[in-house]
Amino acid sequence: MYESYWQKKGDETTVVIPGWQFMSYFSDATRLCWFLEPEFAKQIVRLHNVVGNAVTENRHIVVGTGSTQLFQAALYALSPCAEAEPISVVSAAPYYSSYPLITDCLKSRLYKWAGDARSFSKNGPYIELVTSPNNPDGFARRSVVNGSEGILIHDLAYYWPQYTPISSPANYDLMLFTVSKSTGHAGMRIGWALVKDEDVARKMTKYIEINTIGVSKDSQVRAAKVLKVISDNSEGPNEGDSFFEFSYRVMAKRWKQLREAVQQSGLFSVSDFPPQLCMFLNRVFEPQPAFAWIKCEGDIEDCESFLRGKKILTRGGKHFGVNPNYVRISMLDRDKNYETFVRRLSTIRS
Amino acid sequence: MYESYWQKKGDETTVVIPGWQFMSYFSDATRLCWFLEPEFAKQIVRLHNVVGNAVTENRHIVVGTGSTQLFQAALYALSPCAEAEPISVVSAAPYYSSYPLITDCLKSRLYKWAGDARSFSKNGPYIELVTSPNNPDGFARRSVVNGSEGILIHDLAYYWPQYTPISSPANYDLMLFTVSKSTGHAGMRIGWALVKDEDVARKMTKYIEINTIGVSKDSQVRAAKVLKVISDNSEGPNEGDSFFEFSYRVMAKRWKQLREAVQQSGLFSVSDFPPQLCMFLNRVFEPQPAFAWIKCEGDIEDCESFLRGKKILTRGGKHFGVNPNYVRISMLDRDKNYETFVRRLSTIRS
């Protein structure tokens, strides 16, 4: 979906890297996160300040091979190593389907997946993942476990103005972001964490050092360029042509098409979201999430299978810890694929 | 050390990446390793064929964020998941100091570090890491455990003609390589595995999918370019100016300087290596490893501390599973730093 915007921008975000540059493991040995490229760090801070979606003051930046690696770095950093029992990791259902897979992948004795945060009632320390706006259902979220020893990880991959009104700068202890959802450059495998506690940031850096000895310099350099162009265009005279204006308009159009298709078919439902003022775009709008979280109404029990029969590929609710009458589908595919999807959906009858 | 070569090559290895390219998670969805760039795969096969250091026929290529990630992918893929007890991971001392740290980082119940392969005598399955030429001591190696249920991982990061004579193409089940040691581009974080068994390659791919959802496209594109230039120059009319000729000459010079410094000082010793015919460079030479593995003679017990007092930073033997009268020092630093090191070493007296 974002590809056409970057094509239109032509050479503005092109990077040129000579063979003898960025050869070292190190980016800046004096920095806590020694493999973070200084220019990328600068552009992260600038973009958050331009958009107003996160507080960067008094935060350490840790770069990761996507926010997926940073999530694991956070688990490593936040697990109390002296404990005999692994710390419980929870998130309110429906939760991002990769969380349980990642958490339990190596059967770590440091942490273990403990399922839906809403039904978690164990005493003692735990880690709660708060994804806001949430993947898969798009709702804004706060922590739900009412324990005194909870440690929170805020996954803010979708807290950008094309998906949801930016009401105020997020101000949490540990926040995760990624270029794949903000700018569309999934292939770069670049994410970043804003971390308040120095010791946690240091341990996260240590994990990434052990896991991959740092993060691709080439992708950091390219990400810095893309972020810079987004900030420049958001502030400049051609503001109407800015990245977030473009992506906001595409998402608005797609959500309108989706709601029409759902209405035409009559077999499905999608949530309504309360409209809010976006301080960045300076307008009131309803959230328009990166995923559609569709419920099959009536007696269709396995919505994923049902839609597969109609040539629509989705991911079923059970992967997200809920009933199979829900499915998730990406709203970010290329124009042509998206048009095919809404056309097919609109013509489904019982 | 390699930087000056790539500077001299100028634009030959420069990459230009427009903002709208390589945006997707996918490189080739039809491939087993779906995030491997086809051009990079092609250049890997070509370079191994040109150099003759590894068999690529009937092998699956898995790309990783450095060979460090591939080592973890291999542990994940080779661990028998049904076992109650973690599988033992061993390597003959002196072994690469990161192996135990990586293996035990997350206290996995799939595998655990079990130390020096030479003293390993447990029955049942185990994983043995064979690094050849070895880090830190530079010797060619074979597996040493005499068990019937051993699974081998061959780390061949240093099996390139600047470090050791290429006697024949390596032909093992699971072989790891990395650009950081072959071409010097550590900042790219790119490695690759040649894997015979399809199921193992599939599981390794799965690990990298869970760990980082693939590998930076930008760095793969850049690595492909660098490998292509190395192959082109090795085969072309200016063969004398090829990357391996250059790096072979620098290493030969540095090892000569090192042996002279060791002799002048009289306080240290380094191993002699038997000369062998290199089929690629078509000459007989002694291995000239990427690290110097230096022994403090006499009554210096802690060689690392002793050398730190002489302003030489090394890593002590205990990190590699042996006595502290050994230290490892990199032979790949920039010219100026290397000259300073050998000058300092040569003037140390008891």
Side-chain angles (χ1 to χ4, degrees):
Chain A
M1 168 186 137
Y2 298 114
E3 203 178 51
S4 59
Y5 179 81
W6 296 116
Q7 273 173 330
K8 220 174 49 187
K9 284 279 137 190
D11 283 349
E12 264 187 71
T13 49
T14 298
V15 292
V16 177
I17 307 178
W20 48 270
Q21 275 192 345
F22 309 110
M23 291 186 65
S24 170
Y25 287 107
F26 291 90
S27 293
D28 180 352
T30 66
R31 217 182 249 274
L32 184 151
C33 183
W34 52 266
F35 47 78
L36 169 61
E37 282 295 312
E39 175 64 17
F40 184 45
K42 189 179 134 189
Q43 295 303 335
I44 287 169
V45 170
R46 181 172 168 221
L47 185 62
H48 283 306
N49 289 342
V50 167
V51 174
N53 64 338
V55 170
T56 55
E57 284 82 33
N58 300 316
R59 294 307 199 277
H60 300 277
I61 300 175
V62 181
V63 63
T65 310
S67 58
T68 297
Q69 187 182 38
L70 289 162
F71 165 53
Q72 291 156 85
L75 292 183
Y76 173 81
L78 299 173
S79 298
C81 33
E83 298 293 310
E85 218 186 323
I87 190 169
S88 296
V89 180
V90 297
S91 186
Y95 44 70
Y96 177 32
S97 53
S98 290
Y99 285 153
L101 296 178
I102 294 169
T103 307
D104 286 344
C105 169
L106 297 181
K107 298 187 198 296
S108 172
R109 271 177 279 129
L110 300 179
Y111 46 76
K112 68 154 195 282
W113 180 250
D116 188 354
R118 288 206 181 80
S119 53
F120 181 75
S121 60
K122 222 172 125 185
N123 284 324
Y126 62 90
I127 294 172
E128 182 178 352
L129 302 162
V130 182
T131 309
S132 184
N134 190 42
N135 171 0
D137 68 7
F139 281 99
R141 283 196 160 184
R142 297 183 167 275
S143 62
V144 302
V145 185
N146 209 356
S148 59
E149 296 178 67
I151 313 172
L152 303 182
I153 299 174
H154 279 83
D155 183 344
L156 303 182
Y158 304 96
Y159 193 48
W160 295 99
Q162 67 267 52
Y163 305 124
T164 198
I166 303 301
S167 52
S168 65
N171 188 8
Y172 303 108
D173 287 354
L174 203 168
M175 303 185 273
L176 304 182
F177 291 92
T178 164
V179 291
S180 66
K181 300 310 183 294
S182 52
T183 77
H185 291 88
M188 285 183 187
R189 310 309 314 120
I190 290 288
W192 66 94
L194 302 178
V195 186
K196 206 182 246 174
D197 186 88
E198 182 178 321
D199 192 45
V200 171
R202 215 174 277 284
K203 281 185 191 152
M204 288 178 70
T205 300
K206 188 73 196 170
Y207 173 81
I208 295 172
E209 182 186 329
I210 294 173
N211 190 212
T212 56
I213 327 186
V215 175
S216 163
K217 301 280 174 284
D218 312 307
S219 288
Q220 288 189 64
V221 167
R222 199 173 164 218
K225 185 88 169 231
V226 170
L227 263 48
K228 181 179 185 300
V229 169
I230 292 180
S231 290
D232 287 351
N233 291 352
S234 296
E235 293 182 320
N238 299 318
E239 218 186 293
D241 186 38
S242 80
F243 173 76
F244 291 120
E245 280 291 345
F246 165 86
S247 48
Y248 167 85
R249 283 195 305 265
V250 177
M251 291 306 293
K253 182 182 163 205
R254 288 185 174 195
W255 269 93
K256 189 162 171 284
Q257 289 174 299
L258 178 73
R259 292 190 187 280
E260 284 166 6
V262 162
Q263 203 166 24
Q264 275 175 43
S265 163
L267 268 190
F268 310 99
S269 66
V270 288
S271 290
D272 288 319
F273 300 98
Q276 236 187 318
L277 173 63
C278 178
M279 306 296 281
F280 173 72
L281 292 175
N282 201 22
R283 77 182 66 118
V284 173
F285 66 93
E286 292 167 22
Q288 37 196 42
F291 296 104
W293 182 239
I294 295 176
K295 190 181 175 192
C296 278
E297 298 292 349
D299 27 299
I300 302 159
E301 274 178 22
D302 183 345
C303 193
E304 182 180 346
S305 300
F306 175 74
L307 285 172
R308 200 186 304 119
K310 310 289 181 187
K311 289 171 48 182
I312 297 176
L313 294 178
T314 64
R315 177 165 277 207
K318 65 179 195 299
H319 296 284
F320 305 91
V322 297
N323 291 332
N325 55 345
Y326 280 94
V327 294
R328 188 192 80 168
I329 186 154
S330 173
M331 296 290 282
L332 306 182
D333 209 336
R334 288 201 175 93
D335 278 336
K336 209 179 135 186
N337 297 338
Y338 187 77
E339 302 287 344
T340 306
F341 154 62
V342 284
R343 201 175 51 246
R344 284 182 186 160
L345 192 76
S346 67
T347 59
I348 298 174
R349 298 289 179 274
S350 57
Chain B
M1 169 187 136
Y2 298 114
E3 203 178 51
S4 59
Y5 180 81
W6 296 116
Q7 273 173 331
K8 219 173 50 186
K9 285 279 138 190
D11 284 348
E12 264 188 73
T13 49
T14 298
V15 293
V16 178
I17 307 179
W20 48 271
Q21 277 192 344
F22 309 110
M23 291 187 66
S24 170
Y25 287 107
F26 290 91
S27 294
D28 180 353
T30 66
R31 214 182 250 273
L32 185 150
C33 184
W34 52 268
F35 47 78
L36 170 61
E37 282 295 312
E39 175 64 16
F40 184 46
K42 189 179 134 189
Q43 295 303 335
I44 287 169
V45 170
R46 182 172 168 221
L47 185 63
H48 282 306
N49 289 343
V50 167
V51 174
N53 64 338
V55 170
T56 56
E57 285 82 33
N58 300 316
R59 295 304 201 278
H60 300 277
I61 301 175
V62 181
V63 63
T65 310
S67 59
T68 297
Q69 188 182 38
L70 289 162
F71 166 54
Q72 291 158 84
L75 292 184
Y76 173 81
L78 299 173
S79 298
C81 33
E83 298 293 309
E85 219 186 323
I87 191 169
S88 296
V89 180
V90 298
S91 187
Y95 43 70
Y96 176 32
S97 52
S98 290
Y99 285 153
L101 296 178
I102 295 169
T103 307
D104 286 344
C105 170
L106 297 181
K107 298 185 196 297
S108 173
R109 269 177 281 128
L110 300 179
Y111 46 77
K112 69 154 197 280
W113 180 250
D116 188 355
R118 289 206 179 80
S119 53
F120 181 75
S121 59
K122 224 173 125 183
N123 284 325
Y126 63 90
I127 295 172
E128 181 178 352
L129 302 163
V130 182
T131 309
S132 185
N134 190 42
N135 171 1
D137 69 6
F139 281 99
R141 283 196 160 184
R142 298 183 167 276
S143 62
V144 302
V145 185
N146 210 355
S148 57
E149 296 178 66
I151 313 172
L152 304 182
I153 299 174
H154 279 83
D155 183 344
L156 304 182
Y158 304 95
Y159 193 47
W160 295 99
Q162 67 267 53
Y163 304 124
T164 198
I166 303 301
S167 52
S168 65
N171 188 9
Y172 303 107
D173 288 354
L174 204 168
M175 303 185 273
L176 304 182
F177 291 92
T178 164
V179 291
S180 66
K181 300 310 182 294
S182 51
T183 77
H185 291 88
M188 286 183 188
R189 310 309 313 122
I190 290 289
W192 65 95
L194 303 177
V195 186
K196 206 182 246 173
D197 185 88
E198 182 178 321
D199 192 45
V200 171
R202 216 174 277 285
K203 282 185 191 154
M204 289 178 71
T205 300
K206 188 75 196 170
Y207 173 80
I208 294 172
E209 182 185 328
I210 294 173
N211 190 211
T212 56
I213 326 186
V215 175
S216 163
K217 302 278 174 284
D218 313 306
S219 289
Q220 288 188 64
V221 166
R222 200 175 164 218
K225 185 87 168 234
V226 170
L227 262 48
K228 181 179 184 301
V229 168
I230 292 179
S231 289
D232 287 351
N233 290 353
S234 295
E235 294 182 319
N238 299 319
E239 217 186 294
D241 187 38
S242 80
F243 173 75
F244 291 119
E245 280 291 345
F246 165 85
S247 48
Y248 167 84
R249 283 195 305 264
V250 178
M251 292 305 292
K253 183 183 162 203
R254 288 185 174 196
W255 270 92
K256 189 162 171 283
Q257 289 174 299
L258 178 73
R259 291 188 187 282
E260 283 166 6
V262 162
Q263 203 166 24
Q264 274 175 43
S265 163
L267 268 190
F268 310 99
S269 66
V270 287
S271 289
D272 288 318
F273 300 98
Q276 236 187 317
L277 173 63
C278 177
M279 306 297 281
F280 173 72
L281 292 175
N282 202 22
R283 78 182 65 118
V284 173
F285 65 93
E286 292 167 20
Q288 37 196 43
F291 296 104
W293 183 238
I294 295 176
K295 191 182 173 192
C296 277
E297 298 290 349
D299 28 298
I300 302 160
E301 275 178 20
D302 183 344
C303 193
E304 182 180 345
S305 300
F306 175 76
L307 284 172
R308 200 185 306 119
K310 309 290 181 185
K311 290 174 43 184
I312 298 176
L313 294 178
T314 65
R315 176 165 279 206
K318 66 180 194 298
H319 297 284
F320 306 91
V322 298
N323 291 332
N325 55 345
Y326 281 94
V327 293
R328 187 191 82 168
I329 186 154
S330 173
M331 295 290 284
L332 306 182
D333 209 335
R334 289 200 175 94
D335 278 336
K336 211 179 134 186
N337 297 338
Y338 187 77
E339 301 287 343
T340 306
F341 155 61
V342 283
R343 200 176 50 246
R344 285 184 185 160
L345 192 76
S346 67
T347 58
I348 297 174
R349 297 291 179 271
S350 55

